[in-house]
Amino acid sequence: MKEEEQRMKEGFTQFMLDSGALLFKESELKSGRISPFFMNLGIFNSGEQLFKLAEFYAEAIINRYGTDFNVVFGPAYKGIPLSVAVTMVLEANYGLNVQYCSNRKEVKDHGEGGALIGAKLKDGDRIVIVEDVTTSGKSMEETVPILRSQGAKIEIVGSMVSLDRHEVGNGGEKTALEEITDLYGFPASAIVSMPEVIDYMNSKQLLDTKTLVALGEYYQKYGPKEE
């Protein structure tokens, strides 16, 4: 791993910890799993916070996918402000002028109508999906069909989430991000993975014994199966 990428991952981890977006407390996830930690990007509600968050996303996207894409898609609801912020940072920091697009939870039947807001997808569009965090990969079951049902010949370049929880998806063996790639045929990436977060926090002596034990038990149950 390049030194600048490592610094980015460590900087993002510290940003999550300082802001309280990453909390080490028992929480029930959307998947129904009881986790010893919880990631919540919904707490970022100021311009300063959103811009900083989007800077990490933009850097990770360019590191992973380059600049050959023209739409950033953010699934409703949390993905909407995230996709807008990321497009703004791509322009401000990299001179990359791309469009944002998001879905509506309810299809609008008046005005401009339709299932999407922002860019209207067209043939040849190359899309990067941005989400907050993926646990089981369930959200992609909704997102990918929405994109592929718009009547345009689009290509999903890849997806980017903030944190790879590094636990098994619905199949019970591979991680959720690996399952997404297998199912839909595009790479799924994260700014940082939970093992990388744990390594960083251990190096700074930020994890107590109780938390380490809880993490170990959780990953023994939900961690990917070693080949």
Side-chain angles (χ1 to χ4, degrees), residues 101-139:
C101 181
S102 294
N103 63 297
R104 304 177 193 271
K105 284 291 188 180
E106 301 83 21
V107 177
K108 189 176 180 182
D109 60 4
H110 61 280
E112 77 278 15
L116 303 180
I117 58 174
K120 295 187 181 302
L121 300 183
K122 61 186 185 301
D123 289 354
D125 281 343
R126 292 173 55 81
I127 300 169
V128 173
I129 301 170
V130 292
E131 287 195 294
D132 55 351
V133 64
T134 296
T135 300
S136 64
K138 186 173 178 59
S139 62

Side-chain angles (χ1 to χ4, degrees), residues 70-87 98-104 115-122 125-130 143 146-147 150 154:
N70 66 309
V71 178
V72 175
F73 182 87
Y77 287 106
K78 289 181 181 178
I80 296 175
L82 183 58
S83 63
V84 173
V86 170
T87 59
V98 302
Q99 297 177 302
Y100 91 92
C101 181
S102 294
N103 63 297
R104 304 177 193 271
L116 303 180
I117 58 174
K120 295 187 181 302
L121 300 183
K122 61 186 185 301
D125 281 343
R126 292 173 55 81
I127 300 169
V128 173
I129 301 170
V130 292
T143 300
I146 289 170
L147 288 171
Q150 296 305 304
I154 57 97

